[in-house]
Amino acid sequence: MIERDKIVIAGRVNTGKSSLMNLLTRQETSITDPRAGTTADTSRTFIEFHGLGPVALFDTAGIDEEGGLGAKKKKKVLDLIKESDLILLLINPRQEDFSAEKALIQYIRAQEKQLLIIYNIFHSSDKERIADIEKNIPDLKFHKKIKMSAVNESDRRPLEEFILKNYSSSLRPRPLLPFLKPDLFYPFIIPMDGESPEGRLIRPQSVLLEYILRNGGFVAAYRPGFIADLKEKKLVPESELDRADKFFKSFSEIGCVICDSQVVDYADKVIPSDVLLTTFSIVMINYQSHGKLAAFRDGIRRLKSLKRGDRVLIAEACNHTRMQEDIGTVQIPKVIEERFPEVVVEHSFGREFSETSEIGAYDLVIHCGGCMIDSGKLAARIRDLDALGVPYTNYGLFLSWKGGEKLLERVLKPWGLDLI
Ligand code: SF4
């Protein structure tokens, strides 16, 4: 069975959904008629979307059809949205009432689906109404929009480009370690103290181990012996340096060392400077965000201009048991307090992110690796932050930055990224 992206065209009756379907499929896939409610039920067609691959495209009934039958059709559209990847919401700016669009956008956002807005321009004066519509539906600010005519052939290519630019498919292969080469060693540095879980590795470690093995790399793991308590990690005894030296010298060719972010400064000291180094948290956030590490790198620049009264949100995607020297509640706040004494630190823990209405108030978001939520959820968080212009970075990058610019450069190097 071919895996396809599911794209749903939704909107009220007579907004031009079937015309849009025909435009994208380049044929009369759906019957179009100016009379309301021509699309009796959802119709589906398969297309090869240039630049995206195989796509299942759905034309749907109007979400505002009245009566018992209308309610049934609407339920079907809502159920379909739940299973889809992208919704193209058509809006006719000529309408007077946008309550159905408002409710639908809220529903799509609650489902954490990707949403793109298409203003179907019937008359050139329609464009003048858009500013008012956006005032009326505040959630529109989170989503990219295009103005076009669904019956205009010349608008097809700009529409396709708009979709390609703004839609991130979860079906495209996403390598966990894009720079992995078979037959090279990928040593892990995993600190363990009394509070580390016994009998298992934590998720980023086990996921990466499996990925490297599956893709033909070699894995070895090193537990810094001196860390009975992570607080003492600065005191690296000579014997530990010898031990680390022995470990790292035993590999013919190292692809990259991957360490826990809490010991990245230690790793930087004990592994030869020409060996690539990154952290589990950086690997995970790049994977979970569908390769958006560069945006997390960009966010770290915001640290340079943090000032009194600015608000930083530390966001963790799960509610794990807190250790004594927990990264999110102790280590990162401590660094912020030392370097930016009057900056306010707040937290958001768990699968639900802060209310979108509140996120815009933050000057920086520092996010964990996000290994316990699905990438769709994480992508939805990033889309909102992007839309609001709130910079964001990640634990691994932050703790590397704390060790200095050179260390930050070092952990970015395997990803082909620099600090610019
Ligand atoms: S979701 Fe975040 S806080 Fe929870 S284990 Fe993964 S990286 Fe750590």
Side-chain angles (χ1 to χ4, degrees):
M1 198 179 91
I2 303 174
E3 285 224 73
R4 298 169 186 274
D5 292 273
K6 293 197 190 89
I7 301 182
V8 174
I9 301 171
R12 280 177 188 261
V13 289
N14 266 9
T15 45
K17 298 185 294 301
S18 299
S19 300
L20 191 83
M21 178 84 156
N22 293 342
L23 188 74
L24 282 168
T25 57
R26 298 165 193 247
Q27 54 182 306
E28 282 274 317
T29 310
S30 292
I31 302 163
T32 57
D33 192 284
R35 277 168 297 177
T38 311
T39 306
D41 202 354
T42 299
S43 72
R44 181 188 69 180
T45 192
F46 294 137
I47 57 169
E48 183 67 24
F49 195 112
H50 184 65
L52 193 59
V55 160
L57 193 60
F58 297 85
D59 181 16
T60 59
I63 46 159
D64 57 334
E65 274 191 47
E66 291 179 349
L69 187 58
K72 278 187 191 158
K73 287 185 193 173
K74 181 176 170 185
K75 181 172 182 309
K76 204 165 173 187
V77 176
L78 298 183
D79 288 346
L80 176 64
I81 285 173
K82 263 192 207 161
E83 297 165 10
S84 64
D85 303 296
L86 170 66
I87 293 89
L88 303 175
L89 173 60
L90 244 93
I91 297 180
N92 173 3
R94 295 235 128 193
Q95 292 160 200
E96 294 301 328
D97 173 22
F98 293 96
S99 52
E101 283 83 355
K102 206 173 193 170
L104 186 63
I105 292 172
Q106 277 171 2
Y107 176 80
I108 294 168
R109 289 180 57 74
Q111 300 295 322
E112 288 165 340
K113 298 294 175 186
Q114 296 186 58
L115 167 65
L116 296 174
I117 307 295
I118 298 172
Y119 291 115
N120 196 7
I121 305 299
F122 292 87
H123 304 276
S124 56
S125 61
D126 292 353
K127 291 182 187 164
E128 289 156 24
R129 300 175 59 98
I130 289 174
D132 281 344
I133 299 169
E134 294 183 1
K135 246 188 245 158
N136 195 336
I137 313 177
D139 280 344
L140 278 173
K141 67 174 170 290
F142 293 111
H143 303 280
K144 301 281 182 202
K145 300 133 194 130
I146 187 172
K147 300 176 199 122
M148 57 169 285
S149 163
V151 291
N152 194 344
E153 274 289 306
S154 64
D155 279 353
R156 183 196 301 119
R157 193 58 206 148
L159 172 65
E160 288 171 344
E161 278 164 10
F162 170 72
I163 294 171
L164 283 175
K165 184 164 174 235
N166 296 299
Y167 169 57
S168 159
S169 169
S170 55
L171 297 183
R172 304 286 84 80
R174 286 185 295 141
L176 198 54
L177 218 52
F179 48 83
L180 181 131
K181 291 192 187 123
D183 301 342
L184 296 187
F185 285 90
Y186 292 84
F188 292 177
I189 303 184
I190 303 177
M192 287 178 179
D193 60 15
E195 286 164 325
S196 303
E198 268 193 56
R200 66 180 170 89
L201 294 174
I202 61 172
R203 191 167 153 73
Q205 297 157 359
S206 57
V207 164
L208 199 53
L209 173 78
E210 191 274 344
Y211 177 85
I212 295 170
L213 288 178
R214 184 176 293 281
N215 288 283
F218 306 135
V219 189
Y222 177 75
R223 177 193 173 194
F226 69 99
I227 302 178
D229 184 324
L230 285 171
K231 276 184 286 192
E232 305 300 325
K233 68 176 183 291
K234 295 278 175 217
L235 311 170
V236 183
E238 281 300 314
S239 57
E240 180 61 29
L241 292 178
D242 291 346
R243 191 168 165 263
D245 203 41
K246 184 175 168 194
F247 176 77
F248 289 108
K249 280 201 175 132
S250 56
F251 306 111
S252 49
E253 272 189 288
I254 294 180
C256 181
V257 175
I258 299 125
C259 72
D260 187 294
S261 303
Q262 299 176 81
V263 292
V264 66
D265 47 356
Y266 161 79
D268 184 42
K269 282 190 196 91
V270 300
I271 65 170
S273 57
D274 58 341
V275 170
L276 293 177
L277 168 69
T278 197
T279 80
F280 288 107
S281 181
I282 294 173
V283 172
M284 289 314 297
I285 203 68
N286 181 63
Y287 179 77
Q288 291 289 68
S289 67
H290 297 196
K292 293 217 162 81
L293 184 59
F296 286 85
R297 179 269 323 262
D298 293 347
I300 207 98
R301 293 195 195 110
R302 183 68 180 85
L303 288 166
K304 282 193 180 149
S305 56
L306 277 186
K307 57 181 188 324
R308 181 184 187 180
D310 281 351
R311 291 169 70 191
V312 173
L313 180 71
I314 297 179
E316 282 189 357
C318 75
N319 263 316
H320 58 81
T321 317
R322 307 268 154 218
M323 300 184 183
Q324 229 182 353
E325 280 293 293
D326 184 64
I327 306 185
T329 52
V330 181
Q331 295 186 39
I332 294 179
K334 206 190 273 177
V335 177
I336 295 178
E337 200 184 316
E338 280 164 16
R339 306 223 184 159
F340 313 100
E342 300 195 44
V343 161
V344 181
V345 176
E346 293 167 43
H347 290 92
S348 155
F349 296 136
R351 294 173 60 79
E352 298 318 317
F353 205 26
S354 304
E355 284 299 314
T356 44
S357 55
E358 293 167 11
I359 299 170
Y362 291 102
D363 298 283
L364 177 66
V365 172
I366 306 176
H367 207 290
C368 72
C371 68
M372 300 301 276
I373 52 170
D374 71 57
S375 62
K377 247 183 188 318
L378 190 78
R381 293 179 177 199
I382 292 171
R383 280 198 300 275
D384 284 359
L385 292 169
D386 280 337
L388 294 166
V390 177
Y392 47 89
T393 191
N394 152 266
Y395 283 13
L397 293 171
F398 180 89
L399 293 173
S400 304
W401 164 86
K402 173 185 149 241
E405 276 201 358
K406 284 229 162 330
L407 179 51
L408 184 56
E409 265 172 19
R410 187 171 190 185
V411 296
L412 285 168
K413 194 172 171 193
W415 306 91
L417 294 173
D418 52 32
L419 275 184
I420 297 164

